[in-house]
Amino acid sequence: MTDPVLLYAASAALACVLLLGALEKLKDMTAFAAAVTAYEIVPAGLAAAFAWGYVLAEALAGALLLAPVSRSTGAALALAVLAVATAGVAVNLARGRRDIDCGCGGPAFRSAAARGAGLSWWMVLRNGLLALWTLPVFAAVQGASRSLQWADAASVFGLAMSAVALYFTVNHLLASHLKLQQLHH
């Protein structure tokens, strides 16, 4: 059994990453649909519909992670969303196509893609680590070692925000790495 603070923090952090990712894509669905088209996996005529479906699944996964009764469903949907994104990146990297916008990281990644440094195996690793965040969520289904107390809220909030901050810091470092890599080539 696991401490409920860790379970709630993992759920909240993953929910934040998914919801913020969905929000970033919703800000410019045209650009996200263009990124989906550039992956050349979904037929071009279906790219916009796929893009909308993906963003809605990402947002739904984040929302479901926040409710105790639907947390395991949210974790399963989060794994599916991450698997689709990771497969798209891996397939394009295997094809030798790095110079496309991943559609995942906002302006930092779009500008890196514009300079020919869009996709990287680091993104596959990052998504794998995000998938690992679902493990404590699934463990929550087994039950916690104690009940959550009101004072635990600060710990949950602090841990979740620290994890989200770490995620976005890694994303920015990854974007910077891609920019530097492009300058050296």
Side-chain angles (χ1 to χ4, degrees):
M1 295 223 199
T2 306
D3 190 287
V5 168
L6 298 176
L7 304 177
Y8 278 88
S11 293
L14 187 55
C16 285
V17 167
L18 292 168
L19 290 168
L20 290 170
L23 180 62
E24 183 66 36
K25 292 169 187 73
L26 283 170
K27 283 194 237 175
D28 190 353
M29 281 302 292
T30 302
F32 182 59
V36 169
T37 301
Y39 273 67
E40 295 181 357
I41 295 174
V42 176
L46 298 176
F50 178 88
W52 276 102
Y54 183 88
V55 170
L56 293 175
E58 186 176 32
L60 180 60
L64 290 171
L65 282 164
L66 294 175
V69 296
S70 61
R71 196 168 288 129
S72 62
T73 303
L77 186 54
L79 277 175
V81 164
L82 288 167
V84 166
T86 305
V89 171
V91 164
N92 275 283
L93 287 170
R95 292 175 178 167
R97 300 183 69 234
R98 297 183 42 186
D99 60 340
I100 57 176
D101 177 7
C102 70
C104 57
F109 281 98
R110 278 194 294 276
S111 63
R115 287 188 298 285
L119 299 181
S120 164
W121 287 107
W122 288 106
M123 292 175 184
V124 174
L125 176 62
R126 177 202 63 195
N127 287 358
L129 293 173
L130 278 175
L132 287 176
W133 274 5
T134 64
L135 295 179
V137 178
F138 285 119
V141 175
Q142 304 300 319
S145 60
R146 65 181 179 83
S147 62
L148 198 61
Q149 305 298 315
W150 69 268
D152 290 330
S155 296
V156 168
F157 181 78
L159 283 170
M161 291 304 99
S162 296
V164 170
L166 179 61
Y167 170 79
F168 284 107
T169 299
V170 169
N171 257 357
H172 283 285
L173 289 172
L174 179 57
S176 295
H177 171 73
L178 292 172
K179 289 175 192 174
L180 287 173
Q181 195 175 41
Q182 180 59 26
L183 290 174
H184 286 67
H185 289 219

